[in-house]
């Protein structure tokens, strides 16, 4: 504890000796937060000497990963991106957007999802800053954030501080999509929402070309769905007819919509485990209610996954069940004799490199993963 700042100063100095870094970010943990180490002043020392460095207070007792992501992004905007504002006039590129969607590492599909968002948005005529992952241009892309005409937020609640901050600093408006768009229905809704918003902001969108892109994507998607229908007709083994999802709100709503309308698996009790702030819970419930006028999908906000599991243990539904959750839920699925798909962190049961669950292709991948799980039980 004592001498922590001196030790950190030494560590940062040594990193500059061995690494040719474009940007360094110091994140504080619980110990520094409790002791009150003045990390910001240390960062100022290096900035004064011309070193690009950002410091952020991210003690775990103050917020979770979903909230701290916004803190980190906004700190980089204020302490790094702002340095290059004169070279990057605000809103100077009418067809350029900043995208804020899957959180790196918190969403195990983040790399593939961001890549697919980029491909889809480019398909309707936009240039996209995705900021994270191999498909971004690193710090050069971050520097150009002010040039974007507007921002896109794909999230049920996390990320609002980022787009609201950008709106205040660079006068960039934003369009908000409330859940992960999975499959044809939600992906088309997402893309058309962006097209309408882009045109209102003066972007030069060729609507005919954009619709042609969407049409081709849709046709390719439904060709595979036709192939799936053949499989379902011929397959005589039991298939899951209902599902419980334990995930963050974006995936719970996105997967529920997709599984009900495009796969035929009925969402039963669903559990949001991301510790959603109370002020956002009603609008998330309303978004899930919009999934169907004929079915009520119970939505439970429960950050304690153990309590969510106990609730599922007490439930009884007819037919074969499916649980989509983290690795912690595998034994529960075994107890219930349900199929299990690991799609949330933490999970030691699958390796994800560039897999995406977003978009038309993401919907197909979800179907593959579900029925691969089912077929693995076939004897």
């Amino acid at each position: 504890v004592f001498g922590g700042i001196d030790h950190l100063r030494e560590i940062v100095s040594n990193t500059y000796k061995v690494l040719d870094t474009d940007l360094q970010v110091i994140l504080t943990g619980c110990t520094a937060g409790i002791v009150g180490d003045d990390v910001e002043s240390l960062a100022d020392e290096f900035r004064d000497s011309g070193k690009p460095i950002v410091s952020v207070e991210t003690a775990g007792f103050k917020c979770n990963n979903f909230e701290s992501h916004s803190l980190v992004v906004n700190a980089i905007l204020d302490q790094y991106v702002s340095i290059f504002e004169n070279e990057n006039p605000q809103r100077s590129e009418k067809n350029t957007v900043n995208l804020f969607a899957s959180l790196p590492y918190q969403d195990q599909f983040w790399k593939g999802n961001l890549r697919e968002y980029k491909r889809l948005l480019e398909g309707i005529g936009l240039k996209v800053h995705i900021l994270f992952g191999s498909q971004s241009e690193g710090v050069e892309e971050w520097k150009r954030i002010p040039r974007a005409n507007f921002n896109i937020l794909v999230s049920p609640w996390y990320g609002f501080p980022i787009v609201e901050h950008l709106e205040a600093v660079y006068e960039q408006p934003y369009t908000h999509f409330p859940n992960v768009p999975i499959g044809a229905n939600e992906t088309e809704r997402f893309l058309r929402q962006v097209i309408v918003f882009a045109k209102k902001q003066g972007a030069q969108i060729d609507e005919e070309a954009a619709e042609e892109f969407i049409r081709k994507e849709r046709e390719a998607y439904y060709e595979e769905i036709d192939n799936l229908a053949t499989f379902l007709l011929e397959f005589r083994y039991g298939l899951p007819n209902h599902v419980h999802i334990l995930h963050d709100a974006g995936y719970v709503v996105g997967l529920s919509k997709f599984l009900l309308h495009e796969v035929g698996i009925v969402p039963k009790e669903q559990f949001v485990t991301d510790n959603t702030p109370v002020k956002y819970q009603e609008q998330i419930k309303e978004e899930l209610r919009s999934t169907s006028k004929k079915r009520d999908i119970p939505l439970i906000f429960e950050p304690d996954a153990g309590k969510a599991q106990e609730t599922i243990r007490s439930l009884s539904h007819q037919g074969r069940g499916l649980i989509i959750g983290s690795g912690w839920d595998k034994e529960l699925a075994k107890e219930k004799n349900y199929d299990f798909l690991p799609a949330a962190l933490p999970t030691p049961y699958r390796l994800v490199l560039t897999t995406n669950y977003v978009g038309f292709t993401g919907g197909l991948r979800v179907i593959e993963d579900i029925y691969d799980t089912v077929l693995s039980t076939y004897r």
Side-chain angles (χ1 to χ4, degrees), residues 156-341:
W157 65 272
Y158 42 85
F160 273 111
I162 301 172
V163 293
E164 289 169 353
H165 185 55
L166 286 169
E167 188 171 46
V169 174
Y170 299 128
E171 300 180 354
Q172 293 169 332
Y174 65 89
T175 182
H176 169 232
F177 196 80
N179 56 264
V180 180
I182 303 172
N185 294 345
E186 289 298 285
T187 303
E188 289 191 49
R189 186 166 77 97
F190 167 66
L191 291 175
R192 292 201 172 94
Q193 176 179 315
V194 172
I195 290 170
V196 170
F197 190 82
K199 288 180 69 65
K200 287 182 179 178
Q201 305 310 316
Q204 301 300 309
I205 300 292
D206 184 335
E207 285 193 77
E208 186 175 330
E211 284 296 332
E212 177 65 11
F213 170 77
I214 293 173
R215 183 189 65 79
K216 288 182 177 179
E217 291 290 313
R218 180 176 62 246
E219 288 182 354
Y221 172 83
Y222 280 114
E223 180 178 348
E224 297 305 325
I225 294 298
D226 285 345
N227 294 336
L228 173 65
T230 301
F231 159 75
L232 294 176
L233 285 171
E234 295 180 353
F235 193 58
R236 293 294 180 262
Y237 191 60
L239 297 172
N241 66 357
H242 65 275
V243 61
H244 299 293
I245 304 168
L246 300 90
H247 214 310
D248 74 63
Y251 272 104
V252 166
V253 177
L255 284 167
S256 293
K257 289 182 176 183
F258 173 68
L259 294 176
L260 179 62
H261 292 304
E262 301 186 49
V263 185
I265 299 177
V266 177
K268 296 295 186 178
E269 291 78 7
Q270 308 303 310
F271 299 86
V272 173
T273 59
D274 60 18
N275 202 19
T276 306
V278 173
K279 66 178 181 179
Y280 296 108
Q281 291 182 9
E282 184 54 38
Q283 67 189 45
I284 293 169
K285 288 181 179 179
E286 184 59 36
E287 187 63 36
L288 188 60
R289 278 194 289 265
S290 73
T291 302
S292 174
K293 295 180 179 179
K294 298 180 179 180
R295 290 187 179 276
D296 178 43
I297 303 173
L299 182 63
I300 301 165
F301 292 90
E302 180 51 79
D304 187 333
K307 291 181 179 178
Q309 290 180 345
E310 287 305 311
T311 300
I312 294 175
R313 283 191 177 94
S314 69
L315 298 171
S316 179
H317 297 291
Q318 293 295 317
R320 183 166 176 170
L322 168 69
I323 291 177
I324 300 177
S326 74
W328 291 334
D329 304 309
K330 184 176 182 179
E331 291 305 312
L332 171 63
K334 188 180 296 184
E335 288 177 33
K336 301 280 291 185
N337 198 28
Y338 283 6
D339 296 303
F340 170 66
L341 174 61

Side-chain angles (χ1 to χ4, degrees), residues 320 339 370-379:
R320 183 166 176 170
D339 296 303
I370 289 173
Y371 289 124
D372 276 352
T373 299
V374 172
L375 289 169
S376 70
T377 68
Y378 182 65
R379 295 291 184 271

Side-chain angles (χ1 to χ4, degrees), residues 343-373:
L345 294 179
T347 178
Y349 301 116
R350 69 182 296 175
L351 173 66
V352 177
L353 295 177
T354 60
T355 297
N356 64 288
Y357 271 11
V358 157
F360 298 96
T361 58
L364 295 176
R365 181 54 193 253
V366 172
I367 293 172
E368 286 181 355
D369 285 351
I370 289 173
Y371 289 124
D372 276 352
T373 299

Side-chain angles (χ1 to χ4, degrees), residues 69-70 72-74 77 81 97-104 114 117 121 128-132 141-142 145-146 148 150-167 170 172-179 181 190:
H69 175 76
S70 294
V72 173
V73 171
N74 280 345
L77 292 172
V81 174
V97 300
N98 302 315
L99 173 72
F100 301 96
S102 295
L103 305 192
L114 291 179
Y117 280 122
L121 292 169
V128 190
H129 296 155
I130 57 170
L131 304 175
F132 298 98
E141 194 168 275
W142 281 80
I145 283 176
F150 63 94
N151 300 306
I152 300 171
L153 175 64
V154 183
S155 164
W157 65 272
Y158 42 85
F160 273 111
I162 301 172
V163 293
E164 289 169 353
H165 185 55
L166 286 169
E167 188 171 46
Y170 299 128
Q172 293 169 332
Y174 65 89
T175 182
H176 169 232
F177 196 80
N179 56 264
F190 167 66

